[in-house]
Amino acid sequence: MGEMVELKKELLGGVDLAEQLLGREKPVKVEVEIKGKITKDMIEEISRIKKEPEWMKRLRLRSLELFYKLPWPKWLTGIESINLEEMVLYSRPEVQGPAKSWDELPKEIREYYEKLGLPELEARFLSGLSTVFDSETVYARVKKYLEEKGVIVLPMEEAVRKYPDLVKQYFMRIFPPSDHKFAALHGALWSGGTFIYVPKGVKIREPIESFFLIGRSGEGQFEHSLIVADEGAYVEWIEGCSAPRLSRFSFHDGMVEAYAHRNATIKIITVQNWSKDVINLNNKRGIAEDGARIDWIEGSIGSKITYVYPSTVLKGDNSATRNTVVTIAKGPHIKDSGSKVIHVGKNTRSQIINKTISADGGINIYRGIVRVLRGAKNATANVECESLILDDKSKAHTYPHNQVDEPTASVNHEATTGRLTEQQLFYLTSRGLDEDEAKSLVVLGFLDEILGELPFEYAQVLTRVVQLEFSKYGAFG
Amino acid sequence: MGLEVVNLTARIGEKTVLKNVSLNVNYGEVHAIMGPNGSGKSSLAYVIMGREIYEVVDGDILLDGESIKDLPPEERAIKGIFLAMQDPPQVPGVRLSSLIIAAANKKLGGEGELGRPRDPRILKRMMELAKEIGLDPSILQREVNVGFSGGERKRSEILQALLLDPKIVILDEPDSGLDIDGIKIVAQYINKLREQGKGVMLITHYARLLQYVKPDRVTVLIGGEVVATDGYELARLVEEKGYAYVKQAFRKGSAQG
Ligand SMILES: Nc1ncnc2c1ncn2[C@@H]1O[C@H](COP(=O)(O)OP(=O)(O)O)[C@@H](O)[C@H]1O
Ligand SMILES: [Mg+2]
C-alpha cells in the first residue's frame, strides 16, 4: 500500500485540533508503570495491583494466550509501526483514588480537563462523569438521584470487586477476546473504563459521560466500558477521547460492551478527538434483547489512524439499532470505519448511516457488514453511505458487505460520493466566503441531519470542531 | 468610478478567451454585453470575479480606480462585486438561507460564527424579498440550486444580488430559460438595481430582455474581442442584422466610444 508508505514518511509537523485544545504533552507524576515484554507475569502483576478476583485474572490469562495464538488481522494496517514491547502498557498517575472534586486532581491533569470544558459540561448537562487518565480513573462523580434510583456508575475495576456476579455475566461475553488478536490483547491488559448498570424500568435522561485522555507518548490505553440496561431502562452514555500532542505514537485499544435487556434503550455517543499521534483501535459491540434498542453515534475526528466499527447483535425479536458513524480524515490520516449488524430475532430493524469527509489527502474507508440469519423473519436493514471528498488528493472507499440468509428480510444499500468541484468552490467564494469557510459550510451541510440528532451541547462541539478543522489555523490549511 | 476593464487578455488552458478587452461599468448604468455563443461573455464575467482556472495574461481590472486583479474571489465579493452565474451549480447539503447568512456576515465583516446572522434583520428581508420576486420563501430552506427549476435558479441569484448589496452586479444571461413573465420580473429588478445606483453588467445572448431593460451602453464581444461599443441602438442593430453584420460594419471604420 503506497498510501501507508506516505503515511509513515509524514513526520510530526503541523498543529491538529487536539493540540490546539490541549497543547503539547506535559509531564505528569506517575505512581506505577509497566512496560516490556507482554508475559504472564506482567498480566498477573496488573491483576494483583487491581486486587482482582480470581475469575478476572483467569480471563486475562486466557486472553493473553489467545493474543499469542491469533494471527495478525489483515484489516489492521499501520499498527506494525508501533512496537508494543517498547510501550508503557500500564500507567497509573499519582492521584488519590478517583477524585470527587476537580480540586483534588493534580494541576497538570486538571488543566487538561478544564481546557476540554468538562467541569462546565458536567455541571450543566450530565448526570455523571468519570475521567480516565492514562490507565486509571482519576475522577468520578454522579448526581445523587442516580444512586437513589439504584443506578450503578463505577470505575470498571471497582465494579469487578463490588459486583462480581453482575459484571461476570457480561464482561467480554459480548465481545469475546477470541474475536481477534487485539481484542485478546485488550482482554489481557484492560485497565480503566466505566461500568454502568441501570435497573429495571429506570430511565435516565441526562447523559452519563466518560472521558478518556492519553497523557503520554508511547503509551497503550486499554480501557473497558460496559453498559447494561435492565428491562425497560433507558440510558445515554457519552464517550469522549482526546490527547495532547505527543512526541511518539500512542496506541488505543479500548472496548465498549453494551447489553440492552427487554425493551431497554441504550444510546452511545462518541466524540473522538485524539491527537494525530494516536493509533486508535476500538472494539464496540452491543446485544439487544426483545424490543430493545441500541443506538450508536460515532464522531471520529482526530487520530492518525482509526479503526472503529460499532456493532449490534439484534438478538431479540423486535429489537432495533441505528448506527450513525461520521468520520473526518483531514490531512495524511486514515479512518477505517464501518457498522456491523447481525439480525437474529424476528422483525428486527437496523439503520446504518455512514458519512465520511476526506480532505487534504485524507483517506476514509467504510467496511460495513449486515448479516441476516435464517429465521430473522421480516428483518429490515437500511444502509446509507455518503462520502464527501473535498479535493483531488483525498479518497473514500466503500466496501459494504451483506449476507442475507432469510428470504423474508429486506436489505437496502445506498452509497453516494460527492466531490466538491472547482465550480462549487468558486461559486461559494464568489459570495464572499474564503476557501476554508466554504468547505466548512459544505461539511456542516453534509452533517446537518446528524447534528440535528445530537444533544445540543454536542452538536455545538462538533460544529465548532468542523469550523476549526477548516480554519486557517488548522493543521494543513 | 465603477468597474474598469483595461486591455484585458486572459486564457483558460491553452485557449485565449479574452483579447485586449476594455470596457467600463459605471454606477447607475446598465452595460449590456452581447455576443454569440462561445464569444467569451461568461469568461469575462469569471475573470472579473477572479475564477482561478482563468489566467490573466495582460491588462487590469479596477474597482473605483483600484486594481482587484490579484485578489481572490471572496475579496472581490467583499469589495462589492457580485456575479449571478449563468448556470449556478448545485451545492448539496447547504441551505440557501445558510449561504445567504454566511455571505451577509462576511459582507458585514467582524468575527463570530458564520452560521449566526450578525444582523438579524437579514432573516426577515430574505423572506420578504423572496416573495417579492416570485419565489416561495420555502426555497430558502432548500439546498442551494438542488432541484431548482431554471427560473428558480435565476431568481435565487437575483435574490442574493439584492440582499448582499454589491456595488457592481454582473448578470450572466439572467433571462435564459425564462418565460416572458419571468423575464419581466427579472427586468424589473435589474432596473431596480440601476435605480439604486449600482453598476450592472448585463450579459445577454438575445436582445429580448433589452426591451424591458434599456441599457445605457452596449458592447458586442465576438471571439473574445470587443467589436463594437455604443448606446442602446447597437442592441437593436444586433437584433435586426445579426452579429456578422455588426462585426463587418464596425470593422469598417466607425470609431467606438
Ligand atoms: N474550461 C474550458 N477549457 C477550455 N476552453 C473553454 C473552457 N471554458 C470555456 N472555454 C471556451 O472559451 C470560449 C468562451 O466561452 P464562454 O466564455 O463560455 O462564452 P459565452 O459565455 O460567450 O458563450 C469558448 O470557445 C469555450 O469553448
Ligand atoms: Mg456564457
Side-chain angles (χ1 to χ4, degrees):
Chain A
M1 246 171 115
E3 285 150 9
M4 289 307 308
V5 179
E6 275 308 303
L7 265 179
K8 277 184 214 153
K9 272 198 291 192
E10 188 260 340
L11 278 171
L12 311 166
V15 177
D16 65 16
L17 197 65
E19 183 179 355
Q20 284 180 52
L21 223 57
L22 296 180
R24 288 183 173 257
E25 166 184 10
K26 278 188 284 295
V28 166
K29 282 196 193 120
V30 175
E31 202 170 70
V32 183
E33 80 169 41
I34 295 176
K35 61 192 292 186
K37 225 172 150 47
I38 305 170
T39 59
K40 194 165 172 243
D41 285 350
M42 176 193 276
I43 302 307
E44 278 173 346
E45 192 188 342
I46 291 174
S47 186
R48 195 163 44 242
I49 290 171
K50 292 184 177 295
K51 304 189 182 72
E52 279 174 359
E54 189 61 20
W55 64 271
M56 182 53 85
K57 186 171 87 184
R58 266 191 277 153
L59 189 150
R60 286 184 188 275
L61 292 172
R62 210 168 55 239
S63 300
L64 179 69
E65 271 169 37
L66 283 164
F67 172 67
Y68 289 143
K69 260 198 276 182
L70 286 167
W72 197 277
K74 278 203 275 311
W75 46 272
L76 271 182
T77 49
I79 289 188
E80 57 291 356
S81 60
I82 49 173
N83 180 351
L84 286 170
E85 296 190 351
E86 281 174 5
M87 304 200 98
V88 175
L89 298 171
Y90 175 84
S91 175
R92 184 206 289 168
E94 218 179 83
V95 175
Q96 285 309 309
K100 294 273 173 225
S101 83
W102 296 104
D103 303 335
E104 294 168 39
L105 289 176
K107 182 163 161 288
E108 313 82 64
I109 294 182
R110 192 182 64 232
E111 273 174 3
Y112 282 132
Y113 295 131
E114 283 167 355
K115 285 178 185 162
L116 290 161
L118 285 180
E120 215 190 304
L121 215 51
E122 180 191 28
R124 269 200 298 139
F125 166 64
L126 300 169
S127 61
L129 174 65
S130 313
T131 70
V132 170
F133 191 90
D134 293 341
S135 304
E136 291 288 351
T137 303
V138 294
Y139 175 91
R141 205 163 70 173
V142 291
K143 287 195 177 150
K144 221 178 154 65
Y145 75 89
L146 291 195
E147 285 166 18
E148 286 163 7
K149 291 185 171 181
V151 178
I152 302 169
V153 183
L154 284 177
M156 196 67 236
E157 28 285 274
E158 211 176 313
V160 167
R161 289 192 300 264
K162 275 198 190 153
Y163 302 97
D165 296 335
L166 184 60
V167 173
K168 211 168 162 179
Q169 290 173 49
Y170 306 97
F171 196 98
M172 288 200 91
R173 295 202 164 182
I174 303 167
F175 204 128
S178 55
D179 226 75
H180 61 81
K181 193 176 186 72
F182 287 90
L185 182 70
H186 173 92
L189 289 170
W190 79 268
S191 181
T194 304
F195 174 72
I196 299 174
Y197 171 80
V198 185
K200 272 185 196 166
V202 173
K203 294 180 164 47
I204 303 297
R205 299 289 171 188
E206 284 182 302
I208 299 167
E209 171 155 351
S210 302
F211 201 96
F212 304 102
L213 206 137
I214 291 180
R216 58 190 291 188
S217 303
E219 170 192 325
Q221 190 179 61
F222 303 91
E223 93 290 343
H224 191 109
S225 294
L226 170 58
I227 322 296
V228 179
D230 215 328
E231 292 184 12
Y234 179 98
V235 64
E236 276 179 37
W237 182 60
I238 294 172
E239 179 196 32
C241 345
S242 199
R245 191 58 201 283
L246 309 171
S247 57
R248 265 177 303 128
F249 288 128
S250 281
F251 176 49
H252 174 258
D253 180 11
M255 188 174 283
V256 176
E257 297 182 288
Y259 203 101
H261 284 273
R262 273 191 69 209
N263 298 328
T265 298
I266 299 178
K267 197 165 170 175
I268 296 174
I269 300 172
T270 302
V271 180
Q272 181 273 100
N273 189 23
W274 297 119
S275 56
K276 64 182 174 186
D277 11 57
V278 174
I279 292 176
N280 176 34
L281 168 61
N282 301 276
N283 305 283
K284 300 187 168 186
R285 190 175 297 163
I287 296 179
E289 295 264 26
D290 286 359
R293 170 169 202 107
I294 297 179
D295 287 346
W296 305 87
I297 299 179
E298 172 88 29
S300 192
I301 296 143
S303 83
K304 171 145 206 87
I305 309 179
T306 280
Y307 300 92
V308 63
Y309 320 93
S311 308
T312 306
V313 181
L314 297 172
K315 182 173 165 217
D317 295 347
N318 304 306
S319 56
T321 184
R322 179 160 58 184
N323 291 12
T324 309
V325 179
V326 177
T327 64
I328 302 180
K330 184 169 183 287
H333 307 300
I334 296 181
K335 293 275 160 37
D336 197 312
S337 71
S339 294
K340 294 184 187 172
V341 178
I342 301 174
H343 290 259
V344 183
K346 299 184 187 66
N347 303 315
T348 44
R349 284 157 292 135
S350 69
Q351 190 184 6
I352 292 174
I353 302 165
N354 192 274
K355 293 201 178 216
T356 72
I357 298 152
S358 312
D360 291 341
I363 301 168
N364 277 290
I365 301 162
Y366 171 83
R367 294 172 218 275
I369 295 181
V370 174
R371 282 181 63 196
V372 183
L373 303 192
R374 200 169 175 88
K377 293 212 180 322
N378 301 317
T380 60
N382 281 301
V383 183
E384 251 175 84
C385 296
E386 284 184 59
S387 315
L388 175 64
I389 303 174
L390 291 178
D391 50 61
D392 294 338
K393 291 181 290 181
S394 309
K395 292 185 185 140
H397 308 287
T398 306
Y399 307 108
H401 181 76
N402 300 330
Q403 189 187 328
V404 183
D405 296 327
E406 168 55 46
T408 62
S410 121
V411 177
N412 292 307
H413 183 94
E414 237 178 86
T416 56
T417 299
R419 204 177 268 280
L420 185 67
T421 62
E422 179 277 332
Q423 197 196 19
Q424 289 168 326
L425 197 57
F426 167 69
Y427 181 73
L428 296 172
T429 54
S430 81
R431 299 296 131 104
L433 308 178
D434 66 33
E435 214 176 295
D436 290 327
E437 290 165 338
K439 285 179 179 171
S440 79
L441 194 68
V442 169
V443 170
L444 288 172
F446 180 70
L447 298 179
D448 201 37
E449 58 172 300
I450 289 168
L451 290 170
E453 269 183 35
L454 286 176
F456 178 70
E457 280 76 2
Y458 284 81
Q460 257 187 336
V461 169
L462 206 61
T463 302
R464 259 202 39 230
V465 158
V466 167
Q467 281 165 345
L468 279 171
E469 268 294 81
F470 291 96
S471 78
K472 289 194 188 71
Y473 313 102
F476 304 92
Chain B
M1 286 311 207
L3 180 75
E4 292 166 76
V5 175
V6 190
N7 300 328
L8 189 66
T9 298
R11 65 175 186 216
I12 180 162
E14 294 297 298
K15 186 171 169 77
T16 300
V17 288
L18 297 174
K19 297 167 194 158
N20 201 30
V21 171
S22 294
L23 55 87
N24 292 350
V25 181
N26 299 324
Y27 292 131
E29 288 188 7
V30 171
H31 190 153
I33 311 291
M34 302 183 73
N37 265 331
S39 59
K41 303 183 298 296
S42 293
S43 298
L44 176 61
Y46 290 140
V47 172
I48 294 172
M49 198 69 235
R51 189 166 181 174
E52 276 159 23
I53 52 174
Y54 289 88
E55 184 195 346
V56 174
V57 179
D58 202 8
D60 208 347
I61 305 161
L62 310 174
L63 179 64
D64 298 340
E66 245 180 80
S67 176
I68 56 167
K69 186 183 63 136
D70 299 318
L71 300 179
E74 64 271 19
E75 287 180 35
R76 301 184 198 206
I78 291 165
K79 283 192 184 294
I81 299 185
F82 183 93
L83 167 61
M85 276 167 73
Q86 181 176 349
D87 206 2
Q90 305 187 357
V91 192
V94 178
R95 293 174 203 274
L96 181 56
S97 57
S98 312
L99 174 59
I100 292 172
I101 289 167
N105 282 345
K106 287 295 298 219
K107 199 79 207 284
L108 282 173
E111 295 291 306
E113 263 188 55
L114 274 187
R116 190 171 307 141
R118 264 159 234 175
D119 179 353
R121 281 173 300 186
I122 187 80
L123 298 172
K124 195 156 163 249
R125 279 189 52 222
M126 68 172 124
M127 300 280 280
E128 287 172 355
L129 256 178
K131 255 186 257 168
E132 256 181 70
I133 61 174
L135 285 169
D136 187 326
S138 67
I139 200 167
L140 294 163
Q141 293 314 312
R142 288 166 59 190
E143 297 164 75
V144 175
N145 297 323
V146 176
F148 286 19
S149 70
E152 282 171 335
R153 280 192 195 204
K154 298 290 182 191
R155 286 182 214 188
S156 145
E157 293 288 288
I158 304 264
L159 173 68
Q160 294 172 58
L162 291 163
L163 285 168
L164 295 175
D165 194 30
K167 293 178 178 168
I168 300 288
V169 185
I170 304 168
L171 301 160
D172 193 353
E173 305 210 14
D175 49 340
S176 64
L178 292 189
D179 58 19
I180 192 70
D181 292 336
I183 289 181
K184 281 183 182 165
I185 292 180
V186 165
Q188 186 192 335
Y189 283 92
I190 297 173
N191 285 321
K192 188 169 169 181
L193 288 165
R194 169 163 56 187
E195 278 158 36
Q196 290 173 351
K198 303 185 189 317
V200 179
M201 182 167 137
L202 176 57
I203 296 173
T204 171
H205 182 83
Y206 298 112
R208 197 166 51 155
L209 174 64
L210 303 183
Q211 291 167 14
Y212 305 100
V213 182
K214 195 163 166 253
D216 301 279
R217 203 183 280 254
V218 178
T219 288
V220 174
L221 200 64
I222 298 178
E225 282 178 282
V226 172
V227 301
T229 295
D230 210 334
Y232 176 55
E233 315 79 65
L234 181 56
R236 309 189 66 155
L237 195 64
V238 167
E239 198 180 11
E240 278 161 28
K241 307 264 170 117
Y243 287 114
Y245 174 87
V246 170
K247 189 173 175 180
Q248 280 292 325
F250 276 77
R251 184 185 291 161
K252 285 209 184 97
S254 77
Q256 31 176 289

